[in-house]
Amino acid sequence: MMPPDWSLTEKEAMRGTQFAQLTAFVAVAENRSFTRAASHLGIKVPSLSHAIRSLEEQFGVRLLNRTTRSVALTDAGELLLRHLTPVLESVDQAIDAVNEFREKPTGTLR
């Protein structure tokens, strides 16, 4: 039997990119600051700004209102954040559940 082909399809690669952009959006929305969100994510502000701009272009709608001093959610941004928050919390819980296997031995001792 041949091993599975692990190469990403274009759709899967896009999904990964979009997940990163959505995670970036949530960080900016929660921090109300590109600088704090970039620091939290461990990336540079221009990279974060590009990710958000790209996400807005994909959706065809502005998610954030930006000024030199503040960041505020648009109505579309508030709606997206409301939908994303429980999804990302579920992803975090799934990762935590899997990580528990690392922390305690399982299986049969021989």
Side-chain angles (χ1 to χ4, degrees):
M1 183 173 181
M2 296 289 293
D5 181 9
W6 293 105
S7 61
L8 292 176
T9 65
E10 189 172 318
K11 185 176 181 178
E12 290 167 329
M14 176 56 97
R15 193 179 310 140
T17 300
Q18 197 169 45
F19 185 80
Q21 292 169 337
L22 292 170
T23 301
F25 164 75
V26 170
V28 173
E30 289 177 344
N31 286 283
R32 299 290 200 261
S33 163
F34 276 81
T35 303
R36 286 191 301 269
S39 176
H40 174 76
L41 295 170
I43 62 176
K44 299 200 181 294
V45 174
S47 296
L48 179 58
S49 181
H50 176 74
I52 300 300
R53 192 169 41 257
S54 178
L55 187 64
E56 289 176 327
E57 287 172 5
Q58 288 173 28
F59 287 148
V61 65
R62 183 173 286 282
L63 300 170
L64 300 167
N65 287 320
R66 310 154 177 83
T67 68
T68 55
R69 296 180 182 237
S70 69
V71 174
L73 291 166
T74 63
D75 289 343
E78 286 182 25
L79 179 66
L80 182 60
L81 181 62
R82 254 193 332 269
H83 284 281
L84 286 176
T85 300
V87 172
L88 293 178
E89 287 172 357
S90 291
V91 169
D92 288 341
Q93 289 172 355
I95 291 168
D96 290 344
V98 171
N99 282 334
E100 285 183 23
F101 283 96
R102 218 179 355 171
E103 296 170 6
K104 57 184 170 188
T106 61
T108 306
L109 183 62
R110 297 178 192 214

